[in-house]
Short mmCIF file of all heavy atoms in Angstrom, two decimals:
data_model
loop_
_atom_site.label_atom_id
_atom_site.label_comp_id
_atom_site.label_asym_id
_atom_site.label_seq_id
_atom_site.Cartn_x
_atom_site.Cartn_y
_atom_site.Cartn_z
N HIS A 1 -3.18 -71.19 93.70
CA HIS A 1 -4.42 -70.48 93.39
C HIS A 1 -4.36 -69.11 94.03
O HIS A 1 -4.51 -68.97 95.23
CB HIS A 1 -5.61 -71.25 93.89
CG HIS A 1 -6.91 -70.88 93.27
ND1 HIS A 1 -7.00 -70.14 92.10
CD2 HIS A 1 -8.21 -71.15 93.60
CE1 HIS A 1 -8.27 -69.98 91.79
NE2 HIS A 1 -9.03 -70.55 92.68
N LYS A 2 -4.15 -68.05 93.18
CA LYS A 2 -4.06 -66.69 93.67
C LYS A 2 -5.06 -65.73 93.10
O LYS A 2 -5.24 -64.66 93.61
CB LYS A 2 -2.65 -66.14 93.40
CG LYS A 2 -1.54 -66.69 94.27
CD LYS A 2 -0.26 -65.93 93.99
CE LYS A 2 0.85 -66.31 94.94
NZ LYS A 2 2.10 -65.55 94.75
N ASN A 3 -5.70 -66.14 92.01
CA ASN A 3 -6.47 -65.22 91.23
C ASN A 3 -7.65 -65.88 90.56
O ASN A 3 -7.59 -67.10 90.21
CB ASN A 3 -5.55 -64.58 90.13
CG ASN A 3 -6.16 -63.33 89.51
OD1 ASN A 3 -7.30 -63.34 89.09
ND2 ASN A 3 -5.37 -62.28 89.46
N LEU A 4 -8.74 -65.17 90.40
CA LEU A 4 -9.89 -65.73 89.69
C LEU A 4 -9.65 -66.02 88.23
O LEU A 4 -10.38 -66.77 87.57
CB LEU A 4 -11.11 -64.77 89.81
CG LEU A 4 -11.63 -64.53 91.23
CD1 LEU A 4 -12.73 -63.47 91.21
CD2 LEU A 4 -12.19 -65.85 91.79
N LYS A 5 -8.53 -65.42 87.72
CA LYS A 5 -8.16 -65.66 86.28
C LYS A 5 -7.38 -66.98 86.13
O LYS A 5 -6.98 -67.31 85.02
CB LYS A 5 -7.34 -64.48 85.79
CG LYS A 5 -8.07 -63.19 85.74
CD LYS A 5 -7.25 -62.13 85.08
CE LYS A 5 -6.00 -61.79 85.86
NZ LYS A 5 -5.23 -60.66 85.30
N ASP A 6 -7.11 -67.69 87.21
CA ASP A 6 -6.26 -68.87 87.14
C ASP A 6 -6.81 -69.94 86.22
O ASP A 6 -6.08 -70.57 85.45
CB ASP A 6 -5.97 -69.48 88.52
CG ASP A 6 -5.12 -68.56 89.38
OD1 ASP A 6 -4.47 -67.67 88.81
OD2 ASP A 6 -5.06 -68.75 90.58
N PHE A 7 -8.14 -70.19 86.29
CA PHE A 7 -8.73 -71.20 85.41
C PHE A 7 -8.63 -70.81 83.94
O PHE A 7 -8.18 -71.60 83.09
CB PHE A 7 -10.16 -71.52 85.81
CG PHE A 7 -10.83 -72.45 84.83
CD1 PHE A 7 -10.30 -73.75 84.61
CD2 PHE A 7 -11.95 -72.06 84.12
CE1 PHE A 7 -10.93 -74.60 83.70
CE2 PHE A 7 -12.56 -72.94 83.22
CZ PHE A 7 -12.06 -74.17 83.01
N PRO A 8 -9.07 -69.55 83.54
CA PRO A 8 -8.84 -69.15 82.12
C PRO A 8 -7.36 -69.25 81.70
O PRO A 8 -7.11 -69.59 80.54
CB PRO A 8 -9.39 -67.72 82.08
CG PRO A 8 -10.31 -67.65 83.21
CD PRO A 8 -9.81 -68.54 84.26
N LEU A 9 -6.50 -68.94 82.61
CA LEU A 9 -5.09 -69.00 82.31
C LEU A 9 -4.66 -70.44 81.94
O LEU A 9 -3.93 -70.64 80.98
CB LEU A 9 -4.28 -68.55 83.54
CG LEU A 9 -2.77 -68.39 83.43
CD1 LEU A 9 -2.47 -67.18 82.55
CD2 LEU A 9 -2.11 -68.23 84.76
N LEU A 10 -5.15 -71.41 82.71
CA LEU A 10 -4.81 -72.79 82.43
C LEU A 10 -5.61 -73.30 81.23
O LEU A 10 -5.13 -74.15 80.46
CB LEU A 10 -5.12 -73.67 83.65
CG LEU A 10 -4.29 -73.38 84.89
CD1 LEU A 10 -4.67 -74.32 86.03
CD2 LEU A 10 -2.79 -73.47 84.62
N MET A 11 -6.80 -72.83 81.04
CA MET A 11 -7.66 -73.30 79.94
C MET A 11 -7.02 -73.03 78.58
O MET A 11 -7.10 -73.86 77.67
CB MET A 11 -9.05 -72.61 80.04
CG MET A 11 -10.02 -73.11 78.96
SD MET A 11 -11.67 -72.34 79.15
CE MET A 11 -11.31 -70.65 78.75
N PHE A 12 -6.35 -71.88 78.47
CA PHE A 12 -5.69 -71.58 77.19
C PHE A 12 -4.26 -72.04 77.15
O PHE A 12 -3.57 -71.75 76.18
CB PHE A 12 -5.78 -70.05 77.00
CG PHE A 12 -7.17 -69.54 76.61
CD1 PHE A 12 -7.97 -68.95 77.52
CD2 PHE A 12 -7.63 -69.70 75.32
CE1 PHE A 12 -9.23 -68.46 77.17
CE2 PHE A 12 -8.89 -69.25 74.97
CZ PHE A 12 -9.71 -68.64 75.91
N PHE A 13 -3.81 -72.74 78.18
CA PHE A 13 -2.43 -73.25 78.17
C PHE A 13 -2.26 -74.30 77.11
O PHE A 13 -1.29 -74.33 76.34
CB PHE A 13 -2.10 -73.82 79.54
CG PHE A 13 -0.77 -74.56 79.57
CD1 PHE A 13 0.41 -73.89 79.45
CD2 PHE A 13 -0.73 -75.95 79.70
CE1 PHE A 13 1.62 -74.55 79.44
CE2 PHE A 13 0.47 -76.63 79.71
CZ PHE A 13 1.63 -75.94 79.58
N MET A 14 -3.22 -75.25 77.03
CA MET A 14 -3.24 -76.27 75.97
C MET A 14 -4.25 -75.79 74.92
O MET A 14 -5.44 -76.01 75.11
CB MET A 14 -3.56 -77.61 76.53
CG MET A 14 -2.52 -78.16 77.47
SD MET A 14 -2.88 -79.82 78.05
CE MET A 14 -1.43 -80.20 79.02
N PRO A 15 -3.80 -75.23 73.81
CA PRO A 15 -4.71 -74.58 72.86
C PRO A 15 -5.69 -75.48 72.16
O PRO A 15 -6.75 -75.05 71.76
CB PRO A 15 -3.75 -73.91 71.86
CG PRO A 15 -2.47 -74.70 71.94
CD PRO A 15 -2.40 -75.15 73.39
N PHE A 16 -5.37 -76.76 72.01
CA PHE A 16 -6.20 -77.65 71.18
C PHE A 16 -6.85 -78.75 72.04
O PHE A 16 -7.28 -79.76 71.47
CB PHE A 16 -5.40 -78.25 70.05
CG PHE A 16 -4.73 -77.19 69.20
CD1 PHE A 16 -3.35 -77.08 69.21
CD2 PHE A 16 -5.45 -76.31 68.44
CE1 PHE A 16 -2.69 -76.07 68.48
CE2 PHE A 16 -4.83 -75.34 67.67
CZ PHE A 16 -3.46 -75.23 67.71
N ARG A 17 -6.86 -78.60 73.36
CA ARG A 17 -7.46 -79.62 74.22
C ARG A 17 -8.41 -78.95 75.20
O ARG A 17 -8.20 -77.80 75.61
CB ARG A 17 -6.38 -80.38 74.98
CG ARG A 17 -5.39 -81.16 74.06
CD ARG A 17 -4.62 -82.15 74.89
NE ARG A 17 -5.46 -83.17 75.50
CZ ARG A 17 -5.01 -84.15 76.25
NH1 ARG A 17 -3.69 -84.23 76.51
NH2 ARG A 17 -5.80 -85.08 76.74
N LYS A 18 -9.44 -79.72 75.57
CA LYS A 18 -10.39 -79.19 76.57
C LYS A 18 -9.78 -79.47 77.97
O LYS A 18 -9.38 -80.54 78.29
CB LYS A 18 -11.73 -79.89 76.45
CG LYS A 18 -12.79 -79.38 77.43
CD LYS A 18 -14.16 -80.00 77.19
CE LYS A 18 -15.17 -79.44 78.19
NZ LYS A 18 -16.50 -80.01 77.94
N MET A 19 -9.80 -78.41 78.78
CA MET A 19 -9.26 -78.52 80.12
C MET A 19 -10.42 -78.60 81.11
O MET A 19 -11.27 -77.73 81.21
CB MET A 19 -8.45 -77.28 80.46
CG MET A 19 -7.87 -77.23 81.85
SD MET A 19 -6.34 -78.20 82.00
CE MET A 19 -5.24 -77.23 80.98
N TYR A 20 -10.46 -79.71 81.86
CA TYR A 20 -11.41 -79.86 82.95
C TYR A 20 -10.81 -79.33 84.22
O TYR A 20 -9.59 -79.30 84.39
CB TYR A 20 -11.83 -81.33 83.10
CG TYR A 20 -12.59 -81.85 81.93
CD1 TYR A 20 -11.94 -82.36 80.79
CD2 TYR A 20 -13.98 -81.90 81.93
CE1 TYR A 20 -12.64 -82.85 79.68
CE2 TYR A 20 -14.69 -82.38 80.84
CZ TYR A 20 -14.02 -82.85 79.75
OH TYR A 20 -14.71 -83.32 78.65
N CYS A 21 -11.64 -78.94 85.18
CA CYS A 21 -11.13 -78.36 86.39
C CYS A 21 -12.07 -78.57 87.57
O CYS A 21 -13.31 -78.45 87.42
CB CYS A 21 -10.94 -76.82 86.19
SG CYS A 21 -10.27 -75.98 87.65
N GLN A 22 -11.52 -78.98 88.70
CA GLN A 22 -12.30 -79.08 89.92
C GLN A 22 -12.62 -77.69 90.44
O GLN A 22 -11.72 -76.88 90.66
CB GLN A 22 -11.55 -79.90 90.99
CG GLN A 22 -11.37 -81.38 90.65
CD GLN A 22 -10.67 -82.14 91.75
OE1 GLN A 22 -10.29 -81.58 92.76
NE2 GLN A 22 -10.54 -83.46 91.56
N MET A 23 -13.94 -77.43 90.62
CA MET A 23 -14.38 -76.09 91.07
C MET A 23 -15.20 -76.20 92.34
O MET A 23 -15.96 -77.16 92.51
CB MET A 23 -15.23 -75.44 89.98
CG MET A 23 -14.52 -75.20 88.67
SD MET A 23 -15.56 -74.39 87.44
CE MET A 23 -14.44 -74.26 86.04
N SER A 24 -15.07 -75.24 93.21
CA SER A 24 -15.77 -75.26 94.47
C SER A 24 -17.27 -75.00 94.27
O SER A 24 -17.70 -74.45 93.26
CB SER A 24 -15.20 -74.21 95.44
OG SER A 24 -15.45 -72.92 94.92
N GLU A 25 -18.03 -75.34 95.31
CA GLU A 25 -19.47 -75.25 95.21
C GLU A 25 -19.98 -73.81 95.06
O GLU A 25 -21.07 -73.60 94.55
CB GLU A 25 -20.11 -75.90 96.47
CG GLU A 25 -20.00 -75.08 97.76
CD GLU A 25 -18.62 -75.06 98.38
OE1 GLU A 25 -17.79 -75.91 97.91
OE2 GLU A 25 -18.32 -74.27 99.27
N VAL A 26 -19.15 -72.81 95.47
CA VAL A 26 -19.62 -71.42 95.40
C VAL A 26 -19.83 -70.98 93.95
O VAL A 26 -20.65 -70.10 93.70
CB VAL A 26 -18.63 -70.49 96.08
CG1 VAL A 26 -18.55 -70.75 97.56
CG2 VAL A 26 -17.25 -70.57 95.46
N VAL A 27 -19.12 -71.62 93.03
CA VAL A 27 -19.26 -71.28 91.60
C VAL A 27 -20.63 -71.72 91.12
O VAL A 27 -21.17 -71.17 90.12
CB VAL A 27 -18.16 -71.94 90.78
CG1 VAL A 27 -18.28 -71.57 89.27
CG2 VAL A 27 -16.79 -71.52 91.28
N TYR A 28 -21.24 -72.71 91.79
CA TYR A 28 -22.51 -73.31 91.34
C TYR A 28 -23.69 -72.76 92.15
O TYR A 28 -24.77 -73.36 92.14
CB TYR A 28 -22.46 -74.82 91.45
CG TYR A 28 -21.46 -75.45 90.51
CD1 TYR A 28 -20.12 -75.55 90.86
CD2 TYR A 28 -21.86 -75.96 89.29
CE1 TYR A 28 -19.20 -76.17 90.00
CE2 TYR A 28 -20.98 -76.55 88.43
CZ TYR A 28 -19.64 -76.66 88.79
OH TYR A 28 -18.72 -77.23 87.97
N LYS A 29 -23.52 -71.69 92.93
CA LYS A 29 -24.59 -71.17 93.79
C LYS A 29 -25.84 -70.80 92.94
O LYS A 29 -26.94 -71.07 93.37
CB LYS A 29 -24.08 -70.00 94.60
CG LYS A 29 -23.34 -70.39 95.84
CD LYS A 29 -23.05 -69.20 96.73
CE LYS A 29 -22.40 -69.68 98.02
NZ LYS A 29 -22.11 -68.48 98.90
N LYS A 30 -25.60 -70.17 91.82
CA LYS A 30 -26.71 -69.83 90.95
C LYS A 30 -26.98 -71.03 90.03
O LYS A 30 -26.15 -71.37 89.17
CB LYS A 30 -26.39 -68.59 90.14
CG LYS A 30 -26.26 -67.35 90.96
CD LYS A 30 -26.05 -66.12 90.06
CE LYS A 30 -25.95 -64.89 90.89
NZ LYS A 30 -25.69 -63.68 90.01
N LYS A 31 -28.07 -71.69 90.28
CA LYS A 31 -28.35 -72.93 89.53
C LYS A 31 -28.90 -72.61 88.17
O LYS A 31 -29.02 -71.44 87.76
CB LYS A 31 -29.35 -73.80 90.33
CG LYS A 31 -28.79 -74.25 91.68
CD LYS A 31 -29.79 -75.07 92.43
CE LYS A 31 -29.23 -75.48 93.80
NZ LYS A 31 -30.22 -76.32 94.55
N GLY A 32 -29.21 -73.64 87.42
CA GLY A 32 -29.80 -73.42 86.10
C GLY A 32 -28.76 -73.19 85.05
O GLY A 32 -27.80 -73.98 84.91
N PHE A 33 -28.87 -72.08 84.33
CA PHE A 33 -28.00 -71.79 83.17
C PHE A 33 -26.56 -71.62 83.63
O PHE A 33 -25.63 -72.09 82.97
CB PHE A 33 -28.49 -70.53 82.47
CG PHE A 33 -27.66 -70.14 81.29
CD1 PHE A 33 -27.81 -70.85 80.09
CD2 PHE A 33 -26.75 -69.11 81.32
CE1 PHE A 33 -27.02 -70.53 78.98
CE2 PHE A 33 -25.95 -68.77 80.25
CZ PHE A 33 -26.10 -69.49 79.07
N ASN A 34 -26.35 -70.92 84.75
CA ASN A 34 -24.97 -70.68 85.23
C ASN A 34 -24.25 -72.00 85.56
O ASN A 34 -23.08 -72.20 85.17
CB ASN A 34 -25.01 -69.81 86.51
CG ASN A 34 -23.61 -69.46 86.98
OD1 ASN A 34 -22.90 -68.71 86.36
ND2 ASN A 34 -23.20 -70.05 88.09
N ALA A 35 -24.94 -72.91 86.23
CA ALA A 35 -24.36 -74.22 86.56
C ALA A 35 -24.08 -75.05 85.29
O ALA A 35 -23.04 -75.75 85.18
CB ALA A 35 -25.25 -74.99 87.50
N TRP A 36 -24.96 -74.89 84.31
CA TRP A 36 -24.80 -75.61 83.06
C TRP A 36 -23.55 -75.12 82.32
O TRP A 36 -22.76 -75.91 81.79
CB TRP A 36 -26.03 -75.47 82.19
CG TRP A 36 -25.93 -76.15 80.86
CD1 TRP A 36 -25.97 -77.50 80.62
CD2 TRP A 36 -25.76 -75.53 79.56
NE1 TRP A 36 -25.79 -77.74 79.26
CE2 TRP A 36 -25.66 -76.55 78.60
CE3 TRP A 36 -25.65 -74.20 79.17
CZ2 TRP A 36 -25.49 -76.27 77.24
CZ3 TRP A 36 -25.48 -73.93 77.84
CH2 TRP A 36 -25.40 -74.94 76.89
N ILE A 37 -23.36 -73.79 82.31
CA ILE A 37 -22.23 -73.23 81.64
C ILE A 37 -20.91 -73.70 82.31
O ILE A 37 -19.94 -74.03 81.64
CB ILE A 37 -22.26 -71.68 81.67
CG1 ILE A 37 -23.27 -71.16 80.63
CG2 ILE A 37 -20.88 -71.05 81.37
CD1 ILE A 37 -22.91 -71.43 79.20
N MET A 38 -20.91 -73.80 83.62
CA MET A 38 -19.76 -74.29 84.35
C MET A 38 -19.42 -75.68 83.94
O MET A 38 -18.26 -76.06 83.74
CB MET A 38 -19.96 -74.19 85.87
CG MET A 38 -20.03 -72.77 86.43
SD MET A 38 -18.49 -71.87 86.22
CE MET A 38 -18.91 -70.81 84.82
N ARG A 39 -20.45 -76.53 83.78
CA ARG A 39 -20.22 -77.92 83.38
C ARG A 39 -19.73 -77.98 81.96
O ARG A 39 -18.84 -78.78 81.63
CB ARG A 39 -21.49 -78.74 83.53
CG ARG A 39 -21.89 -79.02 84.98
CD ARG A 39 -22.97 -80.10 85.04
NE ARG A 39 -24.20 -79.68 84.40
CZ ARG A 39 -25.16 -79.05 85.01
NH1 ARG A 39 -25.05 -78.71 86.28
NH2 ARG A 39 -26.27 -78.70 84.36
N VAL A 40 -20.30 -77.12 81.08
CA VAL A 40 -19.87 -77.05 79.70
C VAL A 40 -18.38 -76.68 79.58
O VAL A 40 -17.64 -77.26 78.77
CB VAL A 40 -20.74 -76.07 78.89
CG1 VAL A 40 -20.11 -75.74 77.52
CG2 VAL A 40 -22.14 -76.61 78.69
N MET A 41 -17.98 -75.73 80.43
CA MET A 41 -16.59 -75.27 80.38
C MET A 41 -15.63 -76.25 81.05
O MET A 41 -14.41 -75.98 81.10
CB MET A 41 -16.45 -73.92 81.03
CG MET A 41 -17.24 -72.79 80.31
SD MET A 41 -16.86 -72.71 78.51
CE MET A 41 -15.14 -72.20 78.58
N GLY A 42 -16.13 -77.34 81.59
CA GLY A 42 -15.25 -78.37 82.14
C GLY A 42 -15.20 -78.39 83.63
O GLY A 42 -14.27 -79.01 84.24
N GLY A 43 -16.15 -77.77 84.27
CA GLY A 43 -16.14 -77.73 85.73
C GLY A 43 -16.55 -79.07 86.36
O GLY A 43 -17.50 -79.73 85.89
#
């Protein structure tokens, strides 16, 4: 893990599959819509 782009990089690695990813709590600091988007994207 070197870059904030690492997750998008892996997400598009498998073009036809949904990629789930373990994400740290700091990504979920803003609750509500932001946290929901993170869960939608596979967080």
Side-chain angles (χ1 to χ4, degrees):
H1 199 15
K2 286 188 175 183
N3 195 310
L4 294 174
K5 296 185 296 186
D6 290 344
F7 174 60
L9 187 71
L10 297 181
M11 182 176 68
F12 286 101
F13 171 71
M14 293 183 176
F16 306 112
R17 298 194 64 179
K18 182 175 181 179
M19 178 82 67
Y20 294 84
C21 181
Q22 291 184 357
M23 298 181 180
S24 66
E25 74 286 348
V26 295
V27 181
Y28 294 84
K29 279 189 175 181
K30 294 183 179 180
K31 299 181 180 179
F33 181 76
N34 184 72
W36 178 72
I37 286 294
M38 291 298 102
R39 289 194 297 271
V40 167
M41 297 307 295

